[in-house]
Structures are given as C-alpha cells and as structure tokens.
C-alpha cells in the first residue's frame, strides 16, 4: 500500500506497511518534519472519489510556496499528503497502486 506526497516540484509515491499515525501525517504536510494541523483540502479532486488531499490547515499564515490545485481550482500551498478513505472504518486509508497512477495523471501542479 502507498501514500503520495506532492511538493512544489514533484509527485512522489511512498510505500507504507501500515496506515500513518496522526503525528506522521502532521509531520508530512506543509513543510516535511515541521508539525502542522492537518485539514482535508479536497474530497473531489480525482476521478476516484475515495482519494483525498490533505494539507497544513495554516498554509496561508505560514507563507508556504504554492504546490497544486484542487478540482475546485483552489491553490494549495506547502507539501500535500494524498491518502484514500477506508469505508470500513470511516477514516483515512492507504492507497492502491492503481490510485497512485490516477494521482500522477490527474494532479495539477501549480504553474509559476
């Protein structure tokens, strides 16, 4: 299983043996290894509606660089974490390989 990170230059797929903890998610969004409050930026940015974009809730206050767009044309700043949703427990979940391909094809990186 996988999770995806998007920064201002690239989309990177990471292997994961188990679901990330809240602390791990907080350390991945915004600027990697700087703790943050997470917020779901979009539930509707991919053709697979179980894929979600998670960002630092305070990205505008922290003046991060623009990263990518949501389907709603909102610009997200800072490192973005992409996960799936787990219908069985109603929470975040890891991604399948097929979902990572959708993310790589459909993500709209911010153009300067």
């Amino acid at each position: 299983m996988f999770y995806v990170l998007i920064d201002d230059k690239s989309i990177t797929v990471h292997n994961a043996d188990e679901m990330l903890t809240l602390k791990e998610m907080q350390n991945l969004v915004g600027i990697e290894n700087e703790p943050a409050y997470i917020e779901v930026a979009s539930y509707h940015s991919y053709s697979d509606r179980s894929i979600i974009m998670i960002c630092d809730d305070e990205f505008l206050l922290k003046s991060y660089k623009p990263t990518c767009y949501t389907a709603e044309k909102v610009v997200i700043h800072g490192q973005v974490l992409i996960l799936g949703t787990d219908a069985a427990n109603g929470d975040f979940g890891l991604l399948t390989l097929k979902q990572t391909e959708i993310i790589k094809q459909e993500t709209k990186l911010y153009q300067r």
Side-chain angles (χ1 to χ4, degrees):
M1 301 298 283
F2 308 92
Y3 65 91
V4 173
L5 293 175
I6 303 172
D7 62 25
D8 63 332
K9 297 179 184 95
S10 64
I11 300 168
T12 310
V13 176
H14 297 266
N15 289 312
D17 294 327
E18 57 188 43
M19 182 54 201
L20 303 171
T21 65
L22 176 60
K23 184 173 180 143
E24 289 170 325
M25 289 187 276
Q26 290 171 324
N27 285 331
L28 289 172
V29 298
I31 295 177
E32 191 168 5
N33 295 318
E34 281 191 25
Y37 294 104
I38 62 171
E39 172 184 23
V40 175
S42 179
Y43 288 99
H44 307 291
S45 286
Y46 297 98
S47 56
D48 179 337
R49 297 297 189 193
S50 67
I51 299 172
I52 56 173
M53 301 176 89
I54 301 171
C55 67
D56 181 343
D57 183 42
E58 299 176 331
F59 68 81
L60 290 177
L61 296 173
K62 295 179 180 177
S63 302
Y64 294 151
K65 292 179 184 178
T67 304
C68 60
Y69 296 95
T70 67
E72 299 87 4
K73 306 288 188 245
V74 174
V75 178
I76 305 300
H77 298 231
Q79 188 156 270
V80 178
L81 172 63
I82 309 294
L83 291 171
T85 52
D86 183 344
N89 67 15
D91 204 352
F92 301 127
L94 294 172
L95 301 162
T96 65
L97 185 59
K98 181 178 179 182
Q99 287 173 316
T100 65
E101 294 302 319
I102 291 169
I103 293 162
K104 289 190 273 184
Q105 292 171 0
E106 297 180 12
T107 297
K108 297 168 188 71
L109 292 177
Y110 181 80
Q111 302 296 316
R112 300 182 207 301

